[in-house]
Amino acid sequence: MIGRMQRTLIVALAWGLAACGSSRPPAPEAPRRSAKEAKDEARGLIDEAYRVMRSGTPTDMMGLLAPDLFFVGPGPADVGLDRAAVLELAGGLVDDRKKHKLKSFGLELFAGPDGRTAYAFDQLEYDGVAFAVTAVAAEVDGIWRLTTIEVARAISSRKLDTAVAPDPLPKWRPTDDHDAAHAEAPREMLEAIALAADDLDDRLRQYGRSDDAAFVGPSPDEVSLGGKAIGKRWKKRAPRWTVGEVVAGASPDGALVWVVASASKIEQPDDRDDDRDRDRGRKRKRRPEPEPAPEPVEAAPATGGPPRRLFAIYRDDGGEAGWDLAVLHEAVVVAR
């Protein structure tokens, strides 16, 4: 958990600097909404997105996505910095001449602290290929839209060494538009992901004991839900990563922060014999075995560890505890 006093000082300084450079008064704080409303709005967006994916017409997704959507896909260079780039990428991957099969195996939805944001993760099968998806949604200028999406291939634990190194993350920061879907992420959150990646004790402290805390691994159905289940899963041996480049943003209200990081997994002597117990804490539908991932075409990073991407979501419920790690998604990158 990240100290609230440090965040308060950062926010106060930011407001002070803004006030010195502008005579425009700050916008009034929007009233809170219920968690149920937020989850219903996010579910509606995701259900419609799945319908569009089945129909094979990515352009129909436009009304569901924020104009400044941040997207990370399964390929090394699949990073989109706005809605237009994402739709162009989808148009090159999805055949709009036929219908597609999509199955959802475990959608989990969570409301943000003020009921104006939400986040979700799911395990999918799309035309026989397994994927894991993590997403953030928010009410932007009065309209709910998906603002941040990560899509990763989910591959068998026996095929994880086929992962390739991702391309460098782009330079990115939120716009100053009044209807922007992203705000600036506190610097402390970039430091938090590096600490969580390398140190298990710090990672578990950041998770706290919330029943909503989640870890999503790189293999199909590799999900742990709840701080207690996560701690039990990693009691004997836990994954560790070294973090490289980091890109981050916050929800418009600043209550959720997402972080994308290039990383290398620190291998342990018995990693190859790991049976990757699936401690999910809930019943899930059975799914067929995924197709094997393609052979690697790039070498691993210079650190020597298997390349990974980490996608994390932090939330601040407004209490003294400060920021909690809500979701950590470890993803592999595959060649297309």
Side-chain angles (χ1 to χ4, degrees):
M1 291 178 280
I2 312 303
R4 183 163 181 78
M5 181 174 291
Q6 184 179 1
R7 179 174 179 270
T8 302
L9 291 173
I10 293 172
V11 173
L13 178 60
W15 273 110
L17 293 174
C20 292
S22 173
S23 59
R24 186 175 63 182
E29 183 178 349
R32 294 174 63 93
R33 295 190 186 277
S34 71
K36 182 180 184 304
E37 286 180 289
K39 292 170 69 173
D40 287 347
E41 293 285 358
R43 184 179 295 277
L45 288 172
I46 292 171
D47 287 347
E48 181 63 13
Y50 287 175
R51 185 197 67 77
V52 171
M53 291 170 65
R54 291 185 180 100
S55 73
T57 51
T59 53
D60 289 350
M61 195 86 72
M62 181 171 291
L64 309 176
L65 309 177
D68 52 340
L69 173 80
F70 192 97
F71 174 86
V72 181
D78 293 346
V79 179
L81 302 183
D82 56 43
R83 181 172 60 192
V86 173
L87 292 177
E88 181 179 358
L89 175 63
L93 298 176
V94 179
D95 187 349
D96 60 2
R97 296 169 298 179
K98 64 177 185 179
K99 302 291 184 180
H100 299 267
K101 294 181 179 179
L102 184 151
K103 298 179 182 179
S104 169
F105 291 93
L107 176 63
E108 296 284 357
L109 282 161
F110 309 91
D114 63 356
R116 293 186 176 275
T117 56
Y119 55 98
F121 60 84
D122 199 358
Q123 304 279 304
L124 301 178
E125 187 180 275
Y126 190 63
D127 287 346
V129 180
F131 292 92
V133 179
T134 308
V136 179
E139 186 179 24
V140 182
D141 202 25
I143 301 174
W144 275 84
R145 289 195 168 113
L146 296 168
T147 62
T148 313
I149 302 174
E150 184 204 33
V151 179
R153 279 285 303 271
I155 60 178
S156 164
S157 60
R158 297 185 299 274
K159 299 292 183 178
L160 289 177
D161 57 357
T162 64
V164 302
D167 288 2
L169 289 170
K171 300 296 182 183
W172 178 89
R173 64 180 304 167
T175 69
D176 294 329
D177 297 343
H178 78 280
D179 58 350
H182 306 280
E184 201 78 46
R187 177 69 187 179
E188 63 190 282
M189 310 317 298
L190 279 64
E191 300 167 354
I193 187 63
L195 291 172
D198 185 59
D199 186 271
L200 175 61
D201 290 340
D202 200 283
R203 192 186 315 160
L204 293 177
R205 278 196 298 271
Q206 291 185 31
Y207 267 124
R209 296 183 176 275
S210 170
D211 291 338
D212 292 346
F215 172 75
V216 181
S219 299
D221 290 341
E222 191 177 354
V223 175
S224 292
L225 184 60
K228 183 177 180 180
I230 293 170
K232 181 180 179 182
R233 178 191 185 94
W234 291 335
K235 186 175 182 179
K236 293 184 178 179
R237 187 176 73 255
R240 294 173 55 220
W241 310 270
T242 56
V243 169
E245 300 169 309
V246 178
V247 175
S251 58
D253 60 1
L256 294 180
V257 166
W258 56 265
V259 185
V260 179
S262 299
S264 298
K265 186 175 181 182
I266 300 173
E267 288 191 294
Q268 302 177 60
D270 53 354
D271 269 353
R272 289 187 178 273
D273 297 325
D274 183 7
D275 62 0
R276 297 181 178 274
D277 293 333
R278 309 294 199 261
D279 181 13
R280 298 183 295 279
R282 63 199 189 284
K283 293 182 179 179
R284 301 171 67 85
K285 302 175 185 177
R286 294 181 60 87
R287 65 186 307 155
E289 285 294 317
E291 294 181 353
E295 292 300 316
V297 297
E298 297 181 49
T303 58
R308 296 289 190 266
R309 274 198 184 115
L310 298 179
F311 185 91
I313 298 174
Y314 287 87
R315 58 178 291 156
D316 180 7
D317 288 320
E320 290 300 319
W323 292 96
D324 286 329
L325 177 59
V327 179
L328 179 62
H329 182 174
E330 176 193 1
V332 297
V333 181
V334 297
R336 288 201 284 106

